[in-house]
Amino acid sequence: AQVHLGMDVCSGGTIFDRLRAGRYTERQVANVLRSVLRMLAQCHSKGVIFMDVKADNFLYLTNDPSSVLKAIDFGLAQRFERGQVYSQRRGTPAYMSPELILQAYDEKCDVWSAGVLAWQLLHGRFPHTEDVVSMGLQEVWQRILKVEPDFGAAQWEGYSDDARDFLRALLQRDPERRPSASSALDHHTVCTQNNTESRSHAQSHQCAERHD
């Protein structure tokens, strides 16, 4: 007997490949977040924590700038039950949430990782450090636990207040106050198809296309 798997040919490279060519615009980041959060909301609705949101784990289907994204590498994903707290550390250290590092987490650790990814795409760095390559594991974790992301005006010059406030919500240290992937999709930063690239506010409205 033989088993044949039919899989998409994703020729557009990863998010990280495109990031190396330059930072993403605010509109592009909104599009990425929309895809990532939809995937996470679907996983969470099925009782699965993805556990490894990062720039390397999302492939563009084609080289087209507006290509759809495909999530890959579910090797670290785990089943979960609502209301349960988990302790086994999994994932890529620089994207780990504080509660995951402290070994008391639930599915909202994925939402933090999505916020880290968005920050990386906007600013070309992680929210807690300029460079994780030269750091040891414990140093990376300590910076995540102790270093607050810079939401000051200078850091966000050229970006909208809405984008800053949305990332502030995704990177909320208290998971009880952090939005779920599903509720985050209702935020107009990712909801609207006409996201602003200026400092002006995007107009708030409900998603025309509802998520699962």
Side-chain angles (χ1 to χ4, degrees):
Q2 293 180 328
V3 176
H4 298 275
L5 298 177
M7 303 178 69
D8 289 325
V9 176
C10 297
S11 58
T14 66
I15 290 177
F16 184 71
D17 292 330
R18 294 195 182 187
L19 179 60
R20 287 188 296 184
R23 297 181 193 175
Y24 280 49
T25 66
E26 188 172 318
R27 180 180 297 174
Q28 290 170 329
V29 172
N31 290 335
V32 168
L33 270 179
R34 188 181 303 115
S35 295
V36 171
L37 290 170
R38 281 177 176 167
M39 184 276 290
L40 293 178
Q42 191 170 53
C43 285
H44 296 170
S45 72
K46 304 298 184 183
V48 175
I49 311 177
F50 185 59
M51 299 301 304
D52 205 15
V53 173
K54 62 179 179 179
D56 309 77
N57 280 349
F58 291 89
L59 284 171
Y60 286 98
L61 189 60
T62 70
N63 287 316
D64 191 288
S66 60
S67 169
V68 298
L69 278 169
K70 300 283 186 175
I72 62 171
D73 196 354
F74 282 73
L76 296 179
Q78 70 174 51
R79 291 282 184 180
F80 77 96
E81 294 183 10
R82 299 286 178 183
Q84 294 294 311
V85 176
Y86 297 88
S87 61
Q88 184 180 9
R89 291 191 185 113
R90 303 184 185 200
T92 301
Y95 293 87
M96 286 184 176
S97 68
E99 70 272 17
L100 175 53
I101 296 170
L102 295 174
Q103 298 180 278
Y105 64 91
D106 60 16
E107 74 275 13
K108 285 188 178 179
C109 65
D110 281 342
V111 177
W112 170 281
S113 299
V116 172
L117 174 60
W119 187 291
Q120 183 185 17
L121 299 183
L122 284 174
H123 299 296
R125 58 183 292 270
F126 290 100
H128 48 274
T129 182
E130 289 282 352
D131 177 27
V132 299
V133 176
S134 60
M135 293 182 180
L137 177 62
Q138 293 298 324
E139 186 177 0
V140 171
W141 282 348
Q142 286 302 308
R143 292 182 78 80
I144 293 172
L145 291 172
K146 296 180 179 180
V147 176
E148 294 292 336
D150 183 2
F151 287 103
Q155 176 74 12
W156 289 85
E157 182 74 28
Y159 298 106
S160 71
D161 292 339
D162 286 333
R164 180 182 61 184
D165 293 343
F166 188 45
L167 259 67
R168 195 195 301 271
L170 299 182
L171 295 173
Q172 167 60 244
R173 290 185 176 276
D174 182 358
E176 293 293 325
R177 299 173 61 188
R178 191 183 309 150
S180 66
S182 180
S183 63
L185 276 167
D186 285 328
H187 194 281
H188 50 266
T189 297
V190 297
C191 194
T192 179
Q193 294 292 327
N194 188 30
N195 295 88
T196 180
E197 291 188 34
S198 69
R199 291 176 62 92
S200 62
H201 289 266
Q203 198 170 30
S204 177
H205 57 76
Q206 290 297 312
C207 287
E209 180 181 356
R210 300 300 301 173
H211 50 273
D212 292 334

